[in-house]
Amino acid sequence: MYKKITIVFALMLFASYAFSQTLQSPEEFLGYKLGTQFTRHHKIVEYVNYVASVKKDMVQIEQYGTTYEGRELMLLYVSSPENIQNLESIRKNNLRLTGIVKDNTKTQSNNVPAIVWYSYNVHGNEPSSSEAAMLTLYELVNPSNKQTKEWLKNTVVIIDPCLNPDGRDRYVNWYNQVVGINSNEDPQSREHNEPWPGGRSNHYNFDLNRDWAWQTQIESKQRIKKYNEWMPQVHVDFHEQYYDDFYYFAPAAEPFHEVITQWQREFQEMIGKNNAKYFDANGWLFYTKENFDLFYPSYGDTYPLYNGSIGMTYEQAGHSRGGLSVTKKDGEVLTLTDRLMHHYTSGLSTLETSSINANKLITEFVKYFDDANNGKNSFYKTYILTSDNKYKIEAAKKLFKANGILFGTTNTSGLKGYNYQTNKDTDVKPLKYTIAVSTCQPKGVLANVLLEPKSKLSDSATYDITAWSIGYAYGINTYAIKEKKEINYAETLITEVRKYNTNYGYLISYNSINSVKALTYLLKKGIKVRYTEKPFTYKGKNYERGTLIIVKAGNNIDSINNNINKLSTLFDVDIDAVETGYMDKGLDFGSPYVKLITKPNILMLTGDGVSSLSAGEIWHFFDRELNYPITLINANDFGRINLKKYQAIIMPDGYYKFLSDKNASEKLKEYISNGGKLIALENAVSQITSLEVGIKSKINTEKENDKEKEDYSLLKKYADREKDYLPSSIPGAIYKIELDNTHPLAFGYDSIYYTLKTDANIYEFMKEGWNVGYLKKENYVVGFAGYKIKEKLKDGTVIGATESGAGNFIFFAENPLFRLFWENGKLMFCNAIFFIENN
């Protein structure tokens, strides 16, 4: 498509190749023309380092981190020589504009550069953007390109050339292995059909474009730290979509979150019109205002928007099926060259618009944060988070710190607010541990979006989940207060280190994921750990179900003392020494209700048919949070697996072909009957019902009872076809589950648990099993759920356990580890692994 390009950007590009004497173009440095092959990450790193070394007056480079697989994460700061000399002053001044930095230095808001941040390749198998990043960098600093030099006088461009190097190299290395000397344009060719798990996600198969706010992955943590040190005025997240689509750029589709300002909307329109000018000139088709909304807070467009930026997503056709060239349905051949040129063009067009409007960008940026610091657009001015469980509060603090959200304490006496547990205004009842978050602060808008009880939807047809409130996700009693309260931001730091020593044993309270980390630590050290199924009292202190018991029976007491002292420095847990197995009240340690925890060998099924995202969440959870080994085996190899080696099998969300095979199904049933434990999540549960393990889908039963109605409801309008699904849609809504917390699966919980429902899966109440978590008639809380879904999600079980022979089947109709930010589900998932004993 090079021959089609007539616009100024392309003329600049070709002129630069002719006149640049000292700076090598990507083609000259790499030895091939961009678009003729995919560039591996290390070569991208080499090129950007090379440019930074040659153009030191215009470029600063920084390695801000590494991926799980050890690849470099890079940022390039590109601007005029004058701006580069004053780069740190520009950064600090920008933070003063927000109120994040407060010092005696005078803040400048006139004639200061706007900061424009470009994020490329967050999804590894959307590879054209990293190619475009190299070309964009080159044109910004190329001496022959006079226009970009003008734009850089009042802008600082920050380029992250590849957010997901592990995923990119997974895709690129695979593609290079399967492509011939000439690429095959047939979309049915193997080079257009990437194998499981694909390159979209990072090392742990986690979608990094759902992780901006939650920061569960190392790439996100390192990147957001740098982002919050800059706080750009403009941010573009470069993506790819299905190869038959056309280019998408802002303005975005509804729903917009109501906190998005009029200026943020207007500037997206300005960007869109300027992009359209160049795309029209080249005859490139595009679309705006469709598909990609601005609601869920953890995307590469919404997170910047909720931090005062103009956040935008650009989507180029191609994706993993694009390869180097592919024939579209309309007969046109889409090449990698086309794709990178589209991204290159939209990137420079965005910079042009930002440069022309730099003063306005700064003015509106200042206004945004003035309003945020005064809580102008926040209905609720203060949030109170309170719990008897300090670990839940600590988890919330960790999230707030990662996002630069200030928190502290306040006087709650006489306060009334919206109570998340009752959905009514009530008196605030502080529990043992309480923190307060004011929305009158620099990060007030983001704080409000993450904490508000109900986010208002302007359009139900949304791209992602519609509810995520921290109070529910973290299991913390929360109150939303309309009044601004004074916050004491001084945080008390507890540095006490206790020395433990006993001649008998210890008790560890079981109330957080830290308790599980302590448990797995001890099990790996070969120490026998028990837990109690009934509460008891020792020395006047009550110990709840699930309390971990470590005594010298079966253990070496010196080893116990040494390891308890070590783990106390690693994990924040409640540890009490115990001098006898005779309790003041309740059971003693020899009771049959005190159970020995067997260190389980765990198998997780992965591969074709399994959701790579669901499997990745579980893999990351065990590997990085619990530091406990699990064995990953492809589901298609189920027939050859020696199941006797494993005490537990985990089936993540997915569709399992082997369950259609009679011999494989019988093998799994036999595994359970012989004492094995099967744990299934989401759609895997519905497949397991065919094994006759004691559960039956409520949805299937209702379908059997339904009769086709010959009425006017069958008459539909063609124009409404894209929204006809909404009555049966639930992209992500919060429901209140009632728990039987006397069952080991719910140890460590109160009688209520809030879950995120993303489908209609629900099961009939079991006669022979344990209905541990169930929905009654009025358990909907917040988020969009179509009326047909609401009618179905009631009077059924969503979390349960059944016994089959000598073994157990445990199921979660929802995902307790959803994107690893649903903190309150993690303990329950661990209970399924460590507490449900085989008969």
Side-chain angles (χ1 to χ4, degrees), residues 400-471:
F400 295 148
K401 287 178 180 178
N403 286 289
I405 296 171
L406 303 175
F407 59 87
T409 57
T410 192
N411 182 5
T412 59
S413 177
L415 273 184
K416 288 183 178 292
Y418 181 87
N419 186 328
Y420 287 36
Q421 278 62 48
T422 64
N423 297 319
K424 298 176 182 178
D425 286 341
T426 67
D427 293 332
V428 174
K429 296 181 179 179
L431 301 174
K432 191 173 181 181
Y433 305 97
T434 301
I435 58 172
V437 177
S438 172
T439 58
C440 302
Q441 61 165 300
K443 292 298 191 95
V445 174
L446 179 64
N448 184 65
V449 171
L450 296 181
L451 285 164
E452 64 186 348
K454 297 181 180 181
S455 299
K456 191 180 295 182
L457 270 171
S458 60
D459 189 325
S460 300
T462 182
Y463 192 69
D464 210 309
I465 65 172
T466 57
W468 51 78
S469 181
I470 298 305

Side-chain angles (χ1 to χ4, degrees), residues 649 672 677-682 684-686 688-689 693-696 737-741 743-746 753 755 757 761-775 796-804 807-816 828-829 831-833 835-837:
I649 297 175
I672 300 172
K677 182 192 301 182
L678 177 64
I679 302 166
L681 281 71
E682 300 182 272
V685 181
S686 61
I688 296 298
T689 57
V693 289
I695 65 169
K696 188 173 183 180
I737 293 178
E738 299 188 44
L739 287 181
D740 171 11
N741 61 0
H743 190 280
L745 192 53
Y753 167 74
T755 190
K757 285 295 292 178
N761 288 335
I762 188 170
Y763 298 88
E764 293 184 356
F765 294 134
M766 296 177 290
K767 295 179 181 179
E768 303 298 328
W770 301 105
N771 302 288
V772 180
Y774 47 88
L775 297 174
T797 298
V798 289
I799 302 170
T802 65
E803 297 171 0
S804 180
N808 295 276
F809 171 57
I810 300 127
F811 66 90
F812 297 90
E814 39 70 63
N815 183 359
M828 196 179 303
F829 185 74
N831 291 351
I833 296 290
F835 277 4
I836 310 296
E837 70 165 4

Side-chain angles (χ1 to χ4, degrees), residues 548-806:
L548 303 180
I549 302 169
I550 307 98
V551 294
K552 64 183 180 181
N555 290 310
N556 178 281
I557 192 63
D558 291 332
S559 177
I560 291 177
N561 283 320
N562 288 335
N563 281 290
I564 287 292
N565 278 290
K566 288 178 182 177
L567 76 81
S568 70
T569 65
L570 298 172
F571 316 115
D572 187 8
V573 290
D574 294 324
I575 303 172
D576 292 317
V578 62
E579 298 164 359
T580 175
Y582 185 86
M583 297 296 100
D584 302 343
K585 294 181 182 179
L587 53 74
D588 300 317
F589 293 166
S591 166
Y593 294 102
V594 172
K595 307 290 186 179
L596 180 68
I597 299 174
T598 303
K599 179 187 175 185
N601 290 325
I602 304 168
L603 180 156
M604 183 176 75
L605 296 177
T606 63
D608 288 343
V610 180
S611 164
S612 61
L613 299 178
S614 178
E617 289 165 356
I618 298 169
W619 181 25
H620 183 278
F621 180 63
F622 277 99
D623 207 34
R624 292 286 170 169
E625 292 198 46
L626 298 185
N627 191 24
Y628 191 88
I630 61 172
T631 299
L632 280 60
I633 296 181
N634 289 329
N636 290 342
D637 295 331
F638 185 81
R640 68 167 182 80
I641 303 172
N642 177 10
L643 298 181
K644 294 179 181 179
K645 295 176 62 176
Y646 308 102
Q647 287 72 55
I649 297 175
I650 300 172
M651 294 180 67
D653 183 30
Y655 177 77
Y656 293 83
K657 293 180 181 178
F658 76 83
L659 290 176
S660 300
D661 179 80
K662 183 178 179 181
N663 290 334
S665 295
E666 288 298 322
K667 180 178 179 179
L668 187 56
K669 287 177 66 175
E670 183 180 351
Y671 166 80
I672 300 172
S673 296
N674 290 339
K677 182 192 301 182
L678 177 64
I679 302 166
L681 281 71
E682 300 182 272
N683 289 314
V685 181
S686 61
Q687 282 193 272
I688 296 298
T689 57
S690 63
L691 298 184
E692 299 178 355
V693 289
I695 65 169
K696 188 173 183 180
S697 172
K698 198 164 184 282
I699 300 300
N700 292 338
T701 303
E702 290 174 354
K703 287 180 179 179
E704 292 171 5
N705 296 333
D706 281 347
K707 293 182 179 180
E708 189 71 24
K709 294 182 179 180
E710 297 293 339
D711 59 24
Y712 295 142
S713 67
L714 299 179
L715 303 177
K716 302 175 183 179
K717 286 188 176 182
Y718 180 77
D720 296 336
R721 67 193 184 282
E722 292 183 354
K723 294 196 174 185
D724 283 343
Y725 73 95
L726 288 176
S728 300
S729 171
I730 180 168
I734 294 173
Y735 273 74
K736 180 174 70 175
I737 293 178
E738 299 188 44
L739 287 181
D740 171 11
N741 61 0
T742 67
H743 190 280
L745 192 53
F747 283 177
Y749 287 84
D750 295 326
S751 59
I752 297 296
Y753 167 74
Y754 293 94
T755 190
L756 187 72
K757 285 295 292 178
T758 57
D759 57 37
N761 288 335
I762 188 170
Y763 298 88
E764 293 184 356
F765 294 134
M766 296 177 290
K767 295 179 181 179
E768 303 298 328
W770 301 105
N771 302 288
V772 180
Y774 47 88
L775 297 174
K776 290 187 176 178
K777 285 185 170 57
E778 301 297 333
N779 282 24
Y780 164 80
V781 178
V782 65
F784 178 75
Y787 73 87
K788 290 183 179 179
I789 290 286
K790 285 184 177 178
E791 290 173 358
K792 294 175 180 178
L793 286 177
K794 58 185 179 182
D795 296 327
T797 298
V798 289
I799 302 170
T802 65
E803 297 171 0
S804 180

